[in-house]
């Protein structure tokens, strides 16, 4: 048997890649991939990769099934063969085939398409982490790893052998000796670690539209940096006049009113870095998004001082994204540009709308730092 | 790389082989090969064959299979090729009891391949031919370039289901007699043979030659109304009449060959899977199973027989129908007397002790395909026992729901799904539509509309082979329409029939 399928497989992947590349700008702007993200992969609808035929729409057709239920009873989701017009929707959209692409591949495609340079790692020290690999079945182990099915099979087997199994009253009681457990091995994986510290202004002037832009953009930043570093942590800071650290979900869904003191966020960011991420072991990426309104010139001055003295010397790159909003003056980016715009590890980007995300990603990641 | 069986498995194979023979199964030599799960996925992606022509969709298939296996969603247990000898694969990592079950199942398939009438005309040297196809396509790729060849294959695959599913055999070349006549007609225009050049004007006066030419021209014109009758084998029609390059014809012929090879498997899915399942279960439970294997066997077997509400599992439906037939013929539950008996109690305890069940199922496996199988042997009692129902889509609730449990409707829906392999019936009606060398197809509408976007894309592909505008008459929402693609734009117009 020749293993020519590998050629066909890579050809398939190449085609998928081509389609994704061709549609990348659309994917980036729409943010439609965010909802389809799994743990390491994302399922992307690829138009026209399957082979069109003269055929019936399944919805039109219906079919014969098997099982209990009254006439009129709904069949549960997933009961009917998937893929054929289950979701309402007409026209070309129906035609798409969902393809799983790993985030790593997606990052590669993003990198090729935007011509992003690989990041020069500031810290090359390897930190070793351990990963669990499940390798087999054992008769001992922690309860949390008990293999339910194997255990019951073993018990059923024993009961039948002992003649205590009654098919009319099929009750199976596993005993100590029946229990089966997954066994595992620990593997050492070397890692280069990096942390992204996201900061966002959630004061009243940042609307849903602006936050959506931040959400989409951060997805791509995450994806790229995760591709570059094996171990990536993320921290989230929201601020209006005061700053606090939150989880990812809160980060994207909080809306406060009140004024804006950006310095509060930078202060917290600095504290987090000092406390948890020694420069010697971590590649550090603070990203800050706001609409460019700050409370006072005085606060802006504080921000710049803090950036110069505490943040920039410690991080790979500091990035500021200014999302246009109808309420903001958009002053902050100008101040930053004037004060630290020349620094090599500062990236500034103005994001007018969703269409601008594509270019903005390049602003942030194009320096390869 | 596949390996031959271990001595232990060889012994098991001999044992199962013995049981299969003992029960009267009759099959070609069957060669088992051991593969790893990854190799299994590869072979499965190729439809069971070790070699196929290069194409990305095998890669897509492979990716889906490999993912399904990794996530624990699916696992391929058996793979058999209809070939003489039959080839089948065993997965290395499977426990012994699974291997026995698979072997027994495989012998069931091989018996079916050898004996069922649908397979009578299939190519039993398909393994070799598939390898030859691969070589031919690779050669064309070397000459023409991978992009062009792949593109052409994509387009042709789009038309792959447009064959005459029930054609008893493949006719690859146009009728030789007709071709001969054509040549003769052309000769006639040259006039009679002339020995002495100065006599030519007298023997073949120019008026005579002109009239001859005109007649031939007229005949040709008339012949251009083709095909004479609507032709189901659209691929053959294209092969004979589309302006294809030699390499295109070759690839089209290859794909058509393969489509015909697989057609009988599509037409006998329920019977064939049911038959193999019937035999693995019979051989295992009556002969091969050891006491300590029962649980694993039952687990595996019930996994195969699992149903979900919105689909028919051919393994399950098939095995139950075979068992039902056997039971009915054992008990004499057929014929006039049985049909006319209205007494429920009598029916329930009906047993004429005929014992003709085994013989009957062997006969049925010879002469039926899924359609005639269901049509003849699906009974109201069976449909009720098996809890069959018709489901459909409810637009208001935006979900699938059970529509009906009435026997007649269940049966007709089931048959509808099997007719032409569940594909729309499409014919070439005219290869010179409007006298402009346009292609006209007709969809024999049976109450179900074509999927619109797919139809348009398919027309696009058809046009690229025909190279002139293509049209198809079909119905949407009860109105006849003609879809058209002229090479640049799609259009649609109402037609009166």
């Amino acid at each position: 048997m020749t293993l020519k399928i590998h050629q066909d497989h890579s050809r398939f992947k190449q085609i998928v890649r081509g389609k994704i590349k061709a549609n990348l700008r659309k994917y980036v702007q729409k943010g439609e991939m965010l909802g389809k993200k799994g743990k390491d992969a994302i399922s992307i609808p690829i138009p026209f990769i399957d082979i069109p035929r003269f055929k019936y729409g399944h919805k039109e057709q219906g079919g014969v099934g098997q099982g209990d239920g009254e006439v009129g009873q709904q069949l549960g989701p997933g009961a009917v063969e998937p893929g054929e017009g289950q979701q309402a929707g007409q026209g070309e959209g129906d035609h798409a085939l969902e393809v799983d692409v790993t985030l790593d591949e997606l990052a590669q495609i993003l990198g090729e398409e935007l011509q992003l340079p690989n990041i020069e790692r500031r810290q090359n020290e390897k930190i070793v982490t351990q990963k669990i690999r499940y390798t087999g079945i054992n008769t001992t182990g922690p309860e949390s790893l008990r293999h339910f099915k194997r255990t019951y099979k073993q018990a059923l087997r024993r009961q039948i052998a002992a003649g205590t199994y009654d098919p009319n009253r099929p009750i199976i009681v596993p005993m100590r000796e029946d229990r089966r457990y997954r066994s595992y091995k620990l593997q050492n994986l070397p890692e280069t670690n990096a942390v992204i510290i996201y900061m966002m202004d959630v004061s009243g002037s940042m609307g849903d539209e602006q936050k959506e832009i931040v959400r989409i953009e951060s997805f791509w930043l995450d994806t790229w940096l995760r591709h570059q570093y094996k171990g990536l942590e993320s921290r989230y800071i929201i601020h209006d006049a005061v700053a606090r650290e939150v989880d990812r979900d809160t980060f994207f869904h909080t809306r406060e009113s009140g004024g804006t003191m950006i310095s509060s966020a930078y202060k917290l960011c600095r504290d987090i870095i000092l406390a948890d991420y020694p420069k010697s072991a971590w590649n550090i990426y603070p990203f800050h998004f706001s609409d460019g309104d700050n409370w006072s010139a005085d606060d802006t001055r504080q921000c710049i001082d803090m950036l110069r003295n505490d943040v920039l010397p410690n991080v790979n790159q500091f990035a500021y994204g200014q999302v246009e909003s109808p309420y903001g003056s958009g002053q902050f980016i100008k101040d930053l540009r004037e004060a630290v715009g020349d620094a090599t590890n500062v990236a500034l980007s103005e994001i007018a709308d969703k269409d601008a995300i594509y270019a903005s990603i390049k602003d942030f990641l194009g320096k390869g730092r | 790389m596949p390996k031959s069986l271990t001595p232990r498995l060889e012994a098991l194979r001999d044992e199962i082989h013995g049981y299969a023979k003992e029960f009267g199964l009759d099959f070609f030599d069957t060669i088992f090969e051991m593969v790893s799960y990854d190799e299994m996925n590869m072979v499965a992606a190729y439809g069971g064959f070790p070699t196929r022509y290069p194409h990305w969709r095998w890669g897509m298939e492979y990716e889906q299979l490999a993912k399904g296996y990794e996530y624990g969603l699916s696992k391929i247990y058996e793979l058999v090729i209809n070939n003489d000898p039959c080839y089948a694969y065993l997965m290395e990592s499977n426990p012994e009891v699974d291997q026995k079950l698979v072997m027994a199942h495989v012998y069931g398939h091989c018996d079916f391949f050898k004996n069922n009438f649908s397979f009578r005309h299939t190519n039993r040297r398909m393994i070799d031919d598939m390898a030859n196809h691969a070589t031919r396509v690779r050669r064309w790729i070397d000459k023409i370039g991978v992009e062009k060849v792949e593109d052409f294959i994509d387009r042709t695959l789009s038309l792959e289901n447009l064959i005459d599913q029930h054609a008893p055999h493949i006719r690859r070349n146009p009728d030789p007699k007709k071709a001969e006549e054509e040549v003769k007609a052309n000769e006639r225009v040259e006039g009679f043979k002339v020995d002495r050049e100065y006599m030519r004007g007298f023997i073949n006066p120019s008026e005579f030659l002109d009239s001859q030419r005109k007649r031939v021209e007229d005949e040709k014109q008339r012949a251009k109304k083709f095909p004479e009758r609507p032709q189901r084998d659209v691929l053959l029609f294209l092969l004979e009449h589309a302006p294809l390059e030699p390499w295109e014809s070759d690839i089209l012929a290859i794909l058509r060959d393969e489509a015909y090879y697989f057609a009988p498997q599509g037409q006998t899915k329920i019977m064939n899977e049911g038959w193999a399942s019937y035999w693995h279960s019979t051989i295992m439970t009556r002969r091969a199973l050891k006491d300590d294997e029962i649980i694993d066997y039952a687990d595996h077997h019930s996994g195969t027989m699992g149903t979900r509400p919105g689909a028919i599992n051919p393994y399950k439906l098939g095995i139950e129908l075979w068992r039902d037939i056997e039971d009915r013929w054992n008990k004499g539950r057929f014929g006039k007397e049985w049909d006319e008996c209205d007494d429920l109690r009598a029916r329930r305890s009906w047993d004429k002790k005929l014992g003709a069940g085994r013989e009957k199922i062997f006969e049925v496996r010879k002469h039926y395909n899924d359609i005639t199988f269901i049509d003849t042997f699906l009974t109201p009692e069976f449909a009720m026992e098996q809890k069959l129902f018709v489901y459909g889509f409810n637009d208001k609730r935006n979900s699938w729901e059970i529509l009906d449990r009435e026997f007649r409707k269940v049966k007709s829906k089931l048959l509808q799904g099997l007719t032409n392999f569940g594909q729309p019936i499409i014919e070439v009606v005219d290869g010179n539509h409007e006298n402009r060398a346009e292609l006209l197809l007709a969809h024999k509408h049976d109450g179900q509309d074509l999927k619109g976007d797919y139809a348009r894309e398919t027309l696009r592909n058809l046009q690229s082979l025909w190279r002139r505008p293509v049209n198809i008459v079909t119905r949407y929402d009860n109105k006849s329409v003609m879809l058209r693609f002229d090479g640049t734009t799609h259009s649609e117009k109402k037609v009166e029939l």
Side-chain angles (χ1 to χ4, degrees), chain B residues 285-446:
Chain B
T285 54
R286 305 271 167 86
R287 297 287 186 279
L289 263 183
K290 293 208 204 68
D291 290 350
D292 66 343
E293 292 173 339
I294 285 177
I295 293 164
D296 287 323
Y297 165 76
D299 188 23
H300 179 163
H301 178 77
S302 61
T304 316
M305 296 301 143
T307 56
R308 49 183 178 148
I312 282 294
N313 177 351
Y315 294 81
K316 170 76 175 166
L317 183 66
I319 193 175
E320 296 295 351
L321 252 176
W322 283 116
R323 284 183 174 153
D324 189 55
I325 296 168
E326 186 180 25
D327 186 57
R328 283 169 58 206
W329 260 260
N330 273 337
K331 294 179 175 160
R333 298 180 169 200
F334 59 92
K336 194 164 181 282
E337 201 186 337
W338 164 259
D339 288 340
E340 285 170 1
C341 171
D342 292 332
D343 181 355
L344 265 184
R345 208 178 314 156
R347 276 178 89 93
R348 224 170 272 150
S349 59
W350 192 287
D351 189 355
K352 302 238 175 241
K353 303 221 184 315
L354 282 187
R358 218 14 102 63
E359 198 187 323
K360 180 68 184 175
I361 58 174
F362 271 98
E363 181 200 317
V364 171
R365 74 99 155 75
K366 239 190 181 120
H367 302 298
Y368 290 76
N369 63 24
D370 279 352
I371 290 181
T372 51
F373 186 61
I374 298 282
D375 194 31
T376 314
F377 298 108
L378 191 81
T379 63
E381 282 95 345
F382 180 86
M384 201 157 69
E385 252 168 52
Q386 292 299 317
K387 302 176 177 172
L388 301 182
F389 58 75
V390 177
Y391 67 83
F393 197 78
N394 184 329
D395 283 323
K396 276 184 207 128
R397 288 158 83 182
N398 198 32
S399 70
W400 296 92
E401 64 180 41
I402 298 176
L403 291 185
D404 217 312
R405 284 187 180 276
E406 208 219 309
F407 174 66
R408 245 170 244 289
K409 292 192 179 147
V410 167
K411 185 169 164 181
S412 88
K413 192 84 213 174
L414 206 47
L415 289 174
Q416 192 184 42
L418 294 169
T419 303
N420 200 39
F421 196 15
Q423 309 274 348
I425 294 176
I426 284 162
E427 298 173 329
V428 180
V429 181
D430 194 351
N432 188 27
H433 180 54
E434 309 252 297
N435 209 13
R436 286 191 306 223
E438 295 189 10
L439 188 62
L440 176 65
L441 305 183
H443 167 216
K444 288 185 134 182
H445 199 279
D446 61 348

Side-chain angles (χ1 to χ4, degrees), chain A residues 1-9 11-13 15 48-75 78-82 85-86 88 91-92 94-95 97 99-100 149 153 156-157 160, chain B residues 1-2 42-43 45-46 54-56 58-60 62-63 67 138 147 150 157-158 160-161 292 295-296 299 307-310 312 386-391 393 397 399-403 405 410 413-414 422 424 426 446 448-451 453-454 457-458 461:
Chain A
M1 190 191 315
T2 41
L3 303 185
K4 300 212 170 89
I5 195 114
H6 288 312
Q7 291 170 19
D8 295 329
H9 193 214
R11 181 76 192 121
F12 166 65
K13 285 188 156 168
I15 290 172
F48 295 108
I49 199 170
D50 63 343
I51 290 158
R53 302 249 158 92
F54 286 121
K55 63 178 195 173
Y56 302 123
H58 194 189
K59 228 157 120 180
E60 195 75 44
Q61 201 174 7
V64 174
Q66 192 170 11
D68 292 313
E70 301 287 314
V71 168
Q73 182 175 315
Q74 281 170 279
L75 304 180
V80 174
E81 298 265 337
Q86 270 200 76
E92 310 300 323
D94 265 357
H95 213 120
L97 178 81
V99 176
D100 282 353
K149 193 172 172 182
K153 256 192 189 174
L156 176 61
R157 194 176 290 225
I160 289 176
Chain B
M1 290 295 108
M42 286 181 214
V43 190
Y46 278 149
H55 192 256
W56 57 266
W58 316 124
M60 175 164 78
Y62 168 72
E63 167 139 331
K67 280 226 181 80
R138 272 175 216 286
E147 297 284 336
E150 187 179 66
L157 284 174
S158 173
E160 192 189 32
N161 59 340
D292 66 343
I295 293 164
D296 287 323
D299 188 23
T307 56
R308 49 183 178 148
I312 282 294
Q386 292 299 317
K387 302 176 177 172
L388 301 182
F389 58 75
V390 177
Y391 67 83
F393 197 78
R397 288 158 83 182
S399 70
W400 296 92
E401 64 180 41
I402 298 176
L403 291 185
R405 284 187 180 276
V410 167
K413 192 84 213 174
L414 206 47
I426 284 162
D446 61 348
Q448 302 174 74
D449 293 355
L450 293 178
K451 202 161 152 51
D453 53 344
Y454 274 62
E457 279 307 301
T458 310
N461 290 334

